[in-house]
Amino acid sequence: MAAVSDAPRLAEPVTGHCLCGAVTIAVEAMQAEVDICHCAMCQRWGGAFYAGVKGANVTVAGEDAITIYRSSAWAERAFCGTCGSNLWYRFLPTGGRSFLAGLFDLPKGFGIEQQIFVDEKPDWYDIAQKSPMLTGEEVLAEAMAQGFSFD
């Protein structure tokens, strides 16, 4: 991922966590932009593109649940060994980490700083393409209409 830009930074620290809550991450001075990576490794790691956020100071709790995988000569990726949530990408030459945006409840107004490895992006997705968009309530209603019960 690229160097930190001149984007505005959040005044308050932002805390996020993995799916099971075993790992929590607090990021200070978070950059109000998301980096998108379309490389083949990110696609395999997360199922599609990688969306990462970064900040000035980071505190990670629950390190005993973290597994780190050296995915290439220049990068490592971390995930929660309990629930499997992907946590961060570290670019080894600089030591810089970016954290999966989905771990955090981010405020409105985040933009996209950049998209990289766009030549590896599959043609089946385009972040801005027109497609059906269902709310969570609509998805659950569709499941219940098919006989699924959430009790």
Side-chain angles (χ1 to χ4, degrees), residues 43-114:
Q43 290 176 48
R44 284 181 181 79
W45 187 40
F49 58 87
Y50 171 80
V53 294
K54 53 195 171 228
N57 297 312
V58 176
T59 304
V60 176
E63 294 198 29
D64 55 327
I66 297 171
T67 299
I68 295 175
Y69 171 67
R70 180 87 178 253
S71 58
S72 67
W74 65 88
E76 68 181 24
R77 298 160 192 267
F79 63 92
C80 174
T82 303
C83 67
S85 294
N86 294 327
L87 301 170
W88 68 73
Y89 169 91
R90 183 190 312 260
F91 187 58
L92 295 174
T94 65
R97 284 190 292 188
S98 65
F99 300 86
L100 275 88
L103 299 171
F104 306 91
D105 293 327
L106 299 175
K108 293 182 187 261
F110 271 57
I112 295 175
E113 178 181 6
Q114 64 180 341

Side-chain angles (χ1 to χ4, degrees), residues 5-142:
S5 79
D6 293 332
R9 293 179 172 273
L10 301 181
E12 298 296 321
V14 180
T15 302
H17 58 85
C18 64
L19 190 59
C20 71
V23 179
T24 59
I25 301 168
V27 180
E28 295 179 24
M30 183 182 284
Q31 186 176 317
E33 292 179 318
V34 177
D35 277 329
I36 305 291
C37 181
H38 300 283
C39 80
M41 279 192 276
C42 283
Q43 290 176 48
R44 284 181 181 79
W45 187 40
F49 58 87
Y50 171 80
V53 294
K54 53 195 171 228
N57 297 312
V58 176
T59 304
V60 176
E63 294 198 29
D64 55 327
I66 297 171
T67 299
I68 295 175
Y69 171 67
R70 180 87 178 253
S71 58
S72 67
W74 65 88
E76 68 181 24
R77 298 160 192 267
F79 63 92
C80 174
T82 303
C83 67
S85 294
N86 294 327
L87 301 170
W88 68 73
Y89 169 91
R90 183 190 312 260
F91 187 58
L92 295 174
T94 65
R97 284 190 292 188
S98 65
F99 300 86
L100 275 88
L103 299 171
F104 306 91
D105 293 327
L106 299 175
K108 293 182 187 261
F110 271 57
I112 295 175
E113 178 181 6
Q114 64 180 341
Q115 296 184 56
I116 61 174
F117 290 95
V118 296
D119 55 318
E120 295 183 28
K121 182 185 85 57
D123 65 359
W124 57 262
Y125 74 78
D126 184 350
I127 294 173
Q129 80 181 14
K130 297 288 184 192
S131 60
M133 295 188 181
L134 301 174
T135 65
E137 184 177 320
E138 290 168 326
V139 170
L140 296 179
E142 190 174 286

